[in-house]
Amino acid sequence: MNVRLIFHGDLADMLNGLHRFPEPCRDLSRLAPVKDLVESRGVPHTEVGSIVSGNRNRSFQYIPHWGETLDIHPHKPPVDVSRPSLLFPEPFDRSAFVVDVNVARLASLLRLTGFDTLYDPHWGDAQIADVAGKDRRILLTRDKELLKRNRVLWGHLIRSQHPWEQLAEVIHFFGLKDRIELFTRCPKCNVPLVRTDKGDVIERLEPLTRLMYERFTRCPGCGQVYWSGSHHSRIREKLAAALVNLQ
Ligand SMILES: [Zn+2]
């Protein structure tokens, strides 16, 4: 007698040993909370949207009985982290992120679009998970093992390898399209930008910039001055192209 887990959607792609067991099922010969059973097969708990057996939704702490079959379903975007659910009972009051080194460029793009995103190339996995748990941030990574850490409450395994596609993936998954605030946060250090008078920064501007632009912002963290030049137009175009396929 076994416990059978059936993994639906793209959860099947995350299973360990896929080349040997192409079917999206796993028969298990031990009893444990379903969170442990799911993660032992390679799927981080953050990727699971619902667990169903006997027509009932189950929590991660549920211990199945021998002979039971459980259907493990992925999330259905958009995922709202401010709404508690059976699997994720601790809601977050904001969509703030922490990312690891494998998706570092994504951190800059999230900041460009106004989302509070922490990233430090010196942090190890334990520290990143600790920041995610303590500061109640959504962890974004391409590392399945990092998402399995107990400190991680909300997270998302990034599928794409391209930063702009990764940004679109996050915006789609967490339903953030209407909350984009372009050029309001420093892409280098994550600090919100403040409006500044032209007179206060004019000494630092190139002659052409002095002539052409009147509105400036400044980062209180690193002191960088920003204005709406041609680079802003390019970023707007890239963002529009990345989001074009989102509903
Ligand atoms: Zn800065």
Side-chain angles (χ1 to χ4, degrees), residues 39-110:
E39 294 202 320
S40 72
R41 309 326 295 167
V43 177
H45 70 279
T46 55
E47 305 309 295
V48 177
S50 64
I51 299 168
V52 181
S53 72
N55 284 326
R56 288 188 62 184
N57 279 292
R58 307 294 185 180
S59 74
F60 281 128
Q61 288 71 44
Y62 177 69
I63 298 178
H65 55 74
W66 293 119
E68 188 166 4
T69 296
L70 296 104
D71 289 284
I72 317 297
H73 298 275
H75 290 285
K76 291 178 187 163
V79 172
D80 183 355
V81 298
S82 70
R83 289 179 54 188
S85 65
L86 185 61
L87 291 186
F88 300 96
E90 291 195 53
F92 283 10
D93 57 6
R94 63 195 175 125
S95 294
F97 301 95
V98 58
V99 311
D100 77 345
V101 67
N102 293 322
V103 291
R105 181 87 177 93
L106 173 61
S108 304
L109 297 184
L110 281 165

Side-chain angles (χ1 to χ4, degrees), residues 13-245:
D13 301 335
M14 300 174 199
L15 292 171
N16 296 332
L18 193 63
H19 56 291
R20 285 183 293 132
F21 304 103
E23 77 283 8
C25 306
R26 289 295 182 271
D27 289 335
L28 304 169
S29 54
R30 70 186 178 107
L31 291 180
V34 67
K35 180 172 185 266
D36 295 350
L37 298 177
V38 166
E39 294 202 320
S40 72
R41 309 326 295 167
V43 177
H45 70 279
T46 55
E47 305 309 295
V48 177
S50 64
I51 299 168
V52 181
S53 72
N55 284 326
R56 288 188 62 184
N57 279 292
R58 307 294 185 180
S59 74
F60 281 128
Q61 288 71 44
Y62 177 69
I63 298 178
H65 55 74
W66 293 119
E68 188 166 4
T69 296
L70 296 104
D71 289 284
I72 317 297
H73 298 275
H75 290 285
K76 291 178 187 163
V79 172
D80 183 355
V81 298
S82 70
R83 289 179 54 188
S85 65
L86 185 61
L87 291 186
F88 300 96
E90 291 195 53
F92 283 10
D93 57 6
R94 63 195 175 125
S95 294
F97 301 95
V98 58
V99 311
D100 77 345
V101 67
N102 293 322
V103 291
R105 181 87 177 93
L106 173 61
S108 304
L109 297 184
L110 281 165
R111 292 168 179 173
L112 264 178
T113 43
F115 296 104
D116 182 350
T117 306
L118 293 187
Y119 163 64
D120 187 323
H122 302 106
W123 286 346
D125 285 0
Q127 194 166 1
I128 293 171
D130 197 46
V131 168
K134 193 173 58 184
D135 207 14
R136 301 176 76 78
R137 289 174 178 270
I138 300 166
L139 174 57
L140 305 173
T141 177
R142 288 177 52 78
D143 179 355
K144 287 197 302 181
E145 297 308 312
L146 183 49
L147 288 171
K148 291 179 185 175
R149 288 181 176 254
N150 283 337
R151 297 287 281 141
V152 179
L153 298 173
W154 284 98
H156 178 59
L157 185 70
I158 299 294
R159 271 64 161 184
S160 174
Q161 298 188 33
H162 306 288
W164 282 99
E165 290 178 13
Q166 292 172 346
L167 177 67
E169 190 180 319
V170 172
I171 289 171
H172 170 65
F173 189 80
F174 293 105
L176 301 173
K177 196 173 179 181
D178 294 336
R179 291 162 61 186
I180 292 173
E181 294 181 307
L182 264 176
F183 312 125
T184 56
R185 189 175 288 273
C186 181
K188 292 178 185 168
C189 51
N190 195 43
V191 174
L193 302 177
V194 293
R195 291 285 295 275
T196 183
D197 289 336
K198 187 175 181 179
D200 292 340
V201 296
I202 197 162
E203 297 298 325
R204 301 170 56 185
L205 304 177
E206 298 291 329
L208 206 57
T209 308
R210 287 187 195 183
L211 269 178
M212 292 181 65
Y213 301 100
E214 297 299 325
R215 293 156 66 98
F216 297 87
T217 54
R218 189 178 60 80
C219 171
C222 67
Q224 179 76 40
V225 176
Y226 296 95
W227 61 92
S228 185
S230 57
H231 55 295
H232 276 203
S233 303
R234 285 197 297 276
I235 288 168
R236 285 183 198 281
E237 285 170 13
K238 284 190 172 184
L239 179 63
L243 300 183
V244 73
N245 292 324

